[in-house]
Amino acid sequence: MLMIVDNFVKSEHFLASLKTHQEEFPDALDGWWEGWWEVKPRNIWEELIQGIWSNYPDIETIKGFEWWTNTHTGAGLGWHQDKDETLAEAATLITPEHGSVYYPYPHQVQGGMLQIEYDEDQAEAIAPIHNRLVMFNPSRLHRVTKVYNGTRHAFICNIWRDHKPLSYVKNKTSEGKKT
């Protein structure tokens, strides 16, 4: 399922709060969150997750949310699937159930398209527009195209229903730390 929602965040107050984080937008912030029914949001990113996923069916039955921030200038990011990276090193592929990409800041960027492959000859290309939410199956091959001008800022979140990625079991806290 692919869903694109423009002007996703309706609250001007929340958009303004996001904008205050723009100058310090970290490229390497990530975290694991069990969900608002277990732990109240501890930061603006977990508040955003709650806004994105609160209407997802049976959301309270998932293991949790893996989330991260990233920026792209220049090269972009090659074709990949989101997966438990630690298990993938041992040739075991476990992927999240569903994922989202959100563009939190007004930015001027050329390129940096999210492409999602549907078969060997077709891929959907989605522009990184401020306040746009893209929901898709992250086990499908996808990539970020080259950024020709500007900086692409994105917030990514995956739902893990029956599995917690091993990198969050011992090595990382659930609050989101710069790595």
Side-chain angles (χ1 to χ4, degrees):
M1 172 185 93
L2 173 66
M3 185 169 73
I4 301 169
V5 181
D6 286 334
N7 300 309
F8 174 72
V9 173
K10 304 296 185 217
S11 166
E12 292 298 324
H13 176 72
F14 194 79
L15 286 171
S17 292
L18 279 171
K19 191 168 173 63
T20 64
H21 290 79
Q22 185 171 3
E23 292 296 320
E24 60 196 44
F25 188 75
D27 185 34
L29 185 68
D30 68 336
W32 174 264
W33 185 41
E34 291 79 14
W36 55 92
W37 56 94
E38 295 287 332
V39 179
K40 289 186 179 194
R42 298 164 294 208
N43 55 53
I44 196 164
W45 306 114
E46 291 175 357
E47 290 177 37
L48 183 58
I49 292 169
Q50 184 173 357
I52 292 170
W53 296 106
S54 61
N55 293 318
Y56 193 78
D58 300 319
I59 195 67
E60 290 89 6
T61 64
I62 70 166
K63 290 277 187 192
F65 302 94
E66 175 188 27
W67 61 268
W68 65 97
T69 61
N70 71 26
T71 58
H72 286 284
T73 57
L77 182 63
W79 290 106
H80 67 282
Q81 295 173 284
D82 292 357
K83 58 194 166 293
D84 183 322
E85 298 289 342
T86 304
L87 284 178
E89 291 174 9
T92 301
L93 182 65
I94 298 179
T95 61
E97 178 170 308
H98 213 73
S100 63
V101 176
Y102 177 74
Y103 303 103
Y105 305 123
H107 55 262
Q108 298 295 320
V109 62
Q110 294 175 327
M113 305 282 271
L114 171 63
Q115 286 189 319
I116 304 167
E117 185 177 76
Y118 288 97
D119 60 41
E120 290 182 19
D121 298 324
Q122 293 184 331
E124 182 80 27
I126 303 157
I129 296 174
H130 171 241
N131 200 14
R132 172 174 276 176
L133 173 69
V134 180
M135 300 175 87
F136 70 106
N137 179 345
S139 67
R140 296 187 86 67
L141 288 174
H142 57 282
R143 72 176 179 173
V144 176
T145 64
K146 180 179 180 176
V147 175
Y148 294 97
N149 189 23
T151 302
R152 176 189 184 269
H153 299 282
F155 173 76
I156 300 93
C157 178
N158 287 331
I159 291 177
W160 290 85
R161 181 160 302 278
D162 300 315
H163 177 78
K164 182 176 183 178
L166 292 182
S167 62
Y168 291 100
V169 172
K170 293 182 181 178
N171 299 334
K172 296 182 182 180
T173 70
S174 58
E175 293 182 33
K177 300 289 182 194
K178 223 173 185 178
T179 57

